[in-house]
Every structure is written in C-alpha cells, then in structure tokens.
Amino acid sequence: MARLGWYLARLRAMSPAEIGHRLAEAGRKRRWRRRPVGWDAAPPGAEGPLPGFPDLRAGLAAAADVPAVRESLERVRQRRLRFLGRDWPPAFLEVPGEASGFWLHDPVTGGRWPGAEASSFRVDVRSTSDAPGPDGTLGDVKYVWEPSRLQLLHPLAAALAAGEAWAGPAAAGLLRSWAEANPPYGGVHWVSGIELAMRLVSVALLAAAAGPEGLEPADRALVRQVAAAHAHHLAAFPSLHSSANNHRVAEGLGLLVAGLLLPERGASWEGEGRAILEAEAERQILPDGVGAEQSPTYQAFTMEMLALAALLARGAGRPLAAGIGDRLARGAAFLLALMDEAGHVPAIGDDDEGRVLAQPPDREPRYVASVTAAVAGLTGRPDLLPPDRDLHLRDAVFGTRGARRPAALPEGLRVFPEGGYSAARERVAGRSVHVVLDHGPLGYLALAAHGHADALALWLGIDGQPVLIDAGTYLYHSGRARRTALRESPAHNTLSIAGASQSVASAGFSWSSRADAALTAQEPGRFWSVTGAHAGYARRFGARHVRRLSRTPEGLAIADRLEGAPRPLPVEVRFLLHPDLAVAQRDGEVMVAGADGPLCRFVPPSGFGTALLRNGEPGAVHSARFGHLAPAQAVVLTGRLAAEPALTRIVVLPDR
C-alpha cells in the first residue's frame, strides 16, 4: 500500500508531458531488463595510461596530512567502517568471495539487498522499515547506498597522491571488490542516478591520485569499464520534469566526469554533462542566491557538485560558463546570511548528509560552511569565507586550507525576495542575535520533494547557541508517519490552525496540497520589519496567515493574524527549542537559559495559554542527524485568532 501511495502521489504531480516521458522510460527499462547482468569486455587499449588530473592530484596530496583525513585513513586500515551512524561488518571485505556481503548489507535489519541476481529495475527501494521486523522488509535504502558511493576512496586518494605506497593497492582493491559484487545493471546499486554520479566522482579521485600509470593495467581497464557503464546508464535514464532537482545536477557532474575519464569515447558525455550543469546552475540557484529546493544543506550539496565540475573543467582547459561562478558566489553569500558566528546554519528542509567530497565516517556538523569556503577558493573571493568551519579534505582540493575570513559577518537585515528568506544579525543587550524568517515557496518544482511545510517559520540563535531549531529529517523511504510529522507545519516554529498543516504531505517526497508563502512588506532601518503571508489554510478555514517579524529595542516581536477569518479560530503558535537549554515558566512567561545563564524570555500574546512539551512528547522531538531521533523541548502558545494581531515578544537578556 505504501508503494501504491507513492505512485499515486507522483502521478498527481505529473504534467501530460511528464506522463509521456515516464511511459517511454518504462519501455526503455523493460528493454534493459532483458540485458544480461555483467561487465562488458574491456575495449582494446583500455589498459593504457589514464588521463591526468594534475591540479586535482596536487589538491589531494595537500589533504593527506589534514587531521580528519588521517583519522579516516586509520579507520579504513583498521576496518572500523561506519556510515550514517551505523557500523558495517569488516569481515566481508577480508574473505574471498564475500564482498557482496559488505556492499549489500542492510545495517538496520541485518538483511541483504538484491544484487547481481536481480535487474536493478525490479528492486523495490520504497517498501522499507525503520526497525528490524519479521516481515522481510529492509531498512532505509540510504544506508546501503552510502558505502557504495565509494567515498572510502577519497582519503585513500589523498594518501596515494602524497606518495603513500600502501594506499594504491588498498584503493584498487576496494574498487575491484565493489565491481565484483555489483556488475551492471543488477541490484540495488544501479537504481539511482545520483548514486552512480557520486561513485564516478570517487573513481575520478582514484584516477587523479594515481596518475596516468599509477594503477596496474588491469585496474586502469576496470576504471574505464566502470566509467563507461555508469555513463551509459546516466545518459539513458535522465531525471527530468518533476524529478529534475539535485539529481539532475549530479547526472551532469557524472557525465562530465565520465567524459574526462574516457576522452577517446566520451566527448558526447562531457558535452551533455556541461550543458546540464550550465542550465541547472541557473535554475537551482536563484538570482538572489537561494537554493530552489529550500534546504541549505541540499543547496550546499548542489553547489559542491557545481564547484567540483568547474574545477575539473578548468583543469582540463575547457572551463564551464562564467555564469556558474556567478551563481555559486551568490549562493555562498546567501548561505553566509543564514550562518551564525560559529558557522552553523538552521536545518531547514531535508538533509540526508550527502557529500561530494568526503572522508568517512563523515557527519560534518558544519558542511554548509565548508562548501562556502570551497566556493570562496574556486572564485577567488575571500569575502565568501565562513566565520568558522572544520578543516576538511575539501579545503585542500579548493585551495582554502589556512584561509580565514578577513572581517566579521555584517550586521543588519538581509532580504532574499525570490528565494523567500529574511535573515538578520543584530547586537541586542550586548549579545549577538541571529534570526531567520521563511517567507518563500514550499520547495522546487511540482514535487517540492525536499521542502518542509515551514512557511513563516523562525530560527533563532543567541551568541552562537541555537535557541529555536528545526525538527529535522529523520529518514527518507522508511520514515513513514514520522517523516510526515517532521515535514508538516505543527513540527515547525510557525502557526497552525486547529492542529492542521499548511501543506499536506501525500507521500515521502510529495504533497497533496501546498502553501507557498510570499514577502508582502518590508521596512528598513534600525527597527526593521518584514511581513510574509501564505494561503495554505484558505480552503479549509477561509483565512490567510500573515506574520510580521520586527526588531525591537529589547529583541524581537512576532505579530500573527488571520486575514479574512470568518470568526476567531483556534490556533497554536509553536517554538521548538534546543534540547540543551533550560526552559521554565514564570509569571506567564517562558524563561530560556543556556549553560552560562539566562538567554531570553518569551512573552505570549494577551489571552493565550502556554504549555511546555519535553522529553520526546509528541511535538517535542527532533532529528539532528539522519536516522536519529532525540528529545527536544517545545513552547506551545494556544488561543483564538482572527484579523486582530497576536503579539509574541522575545526579550533578549543581558549577558551577566
């Protein structure tokens, strides 16, 4: 039933043109299912020297002594392999003939995903579970896909480029192991184009680190076989229409990489990849710099793909269009506006912890900051460097190791009208206050696949301590009811009428109704204000939610009203607070304190009741990492509301 629901939700989002495309694609898949599973014979000359990537090789060599890269290498040597918070059995990589046990292992249920025995077009990746069970279902497919991105090769490539002799055989052995267990086009690892594209990046890093003749002839032939098989699949099954989100950028990167690895065969792949990347950069990073998918981490992922493509194309002497650099710079400027002085951004929308350049186990808490640094290095713009970040392999590749921001992040209000965000950085009561308001669309294209129903939501930090946080993602295909709950508006820092969601989820990556907010007014100055509105409740309740956020001498004020409401309606104004904070009610107000003392107090609207939710109660949980749920705290203000505004004040308390 879950699978049927998914298909029905997708069908509702499709245009007639997309339905025609899907029918043609289904016919193509039927034909491919009849192909024998296995690697094509290596063509004549496949064992010859590989293309050189001298700039990339130099960057990888410079990463070899980055502490996090050394830690990653040590884990690889010791076979302590962990992905998305789950451990993998290392023995499978050490026993001849058991490689598939590693690459197809499901860490949630202990089961095994389909491999070469099944056509990839028959593998069901949606009927999954978030816990072991007797029904034979497997865990979220993201887990099994993660190691098969072959990002274990990234730190090995750094060591190999730096001349560490042991790393070459280790890296080539991993590639051979994966290829043995996963011939084209069978099993779970040939289902998704974005997975194929990330794998091609890993193979390119190995080739760059080894140099033209650094691998054994048979391994050079395997690199070519892997690249060709992946490119054929990417070219045959493009993500178009409602699916043309970050997956399309990944496919462009994958085809470009394949074309660079196979110059004697891949000129058309390189050209197709370049065309995709140049077009999608304009579509997926809006003119004001906001990522169209309404998720800062997905925006960073898209920007990292574009930045790496630009770096590779420039190194090959065939640079991408200059417009890509411009969009990357605008995107970095927007992400900096979302960033606090510690380099953190709000966890808006989906986040699956995907990375283009990685050093497993790699759950970077400041990934967005690292990508903005990469863009600063690529474009030669030190003003785009973040205020802080974690040193990463990415810094060495993009030439920003040791680079520091020349000045503090600017204070004041920034409004991004096309993407739909306002962000302000202010000094209040001697403290640094950072606030973000969402007044934009639900997400990108008809599916809005990675957006959440967070119209007019707020995120707040004080002195680098997150105060108002996002509920997060949890899981994708296996999250089911929990994923829906974390996506809909009662889980966010906004207003809901009678417990309803502005946008209603119909499946894990689609919606049956959507609320797209818009900026309706803004007032500049020291005591600025921004106003946004959405009509997500209009059909059900006859009202339009309008929220005005303003700077006050003591902090912030939030004025909510229901424009056009036929009568006062029951509403909840929710605020999800970081679990590390101390929260208490006092004289009708809510006091919030951090480790060093009081931070702020919430003053509810006149006539509203106040409730505190704690310890994982419904509405008081969050997912800080993929696959992980933890208790949070929530302040819930309840009352009745119509056209007269209800004013909530956030008073920032002085630092003692």
Side-chain angles (χ1 to χ4, degrees), residues 1 33 41 54 111 116 137 155 187 206-207 230 277 316-317 324 344 437 446 448 491 516 542 551 604 606 608 619:
M1 291 300 296
R33 281 201 299 264
T137 58
L206 172 59
H230 282 64
L277 293 162
I324 286 186
H344 295 107
L437 173 69
D516 292 314
R551 164 81 155 88
S606 176
F608 273 56

Side-chain angles (χ1 to χ4, degrees), residues 398-416:
F398 285 96
T400 54
R401 185 174 180 178
R404 290 290 177 265
R405 184 174 176 80
L409 292 170
E411 294 184 356
L413 175 69
R414 293 283 308 277
V415 178
F416 300 88

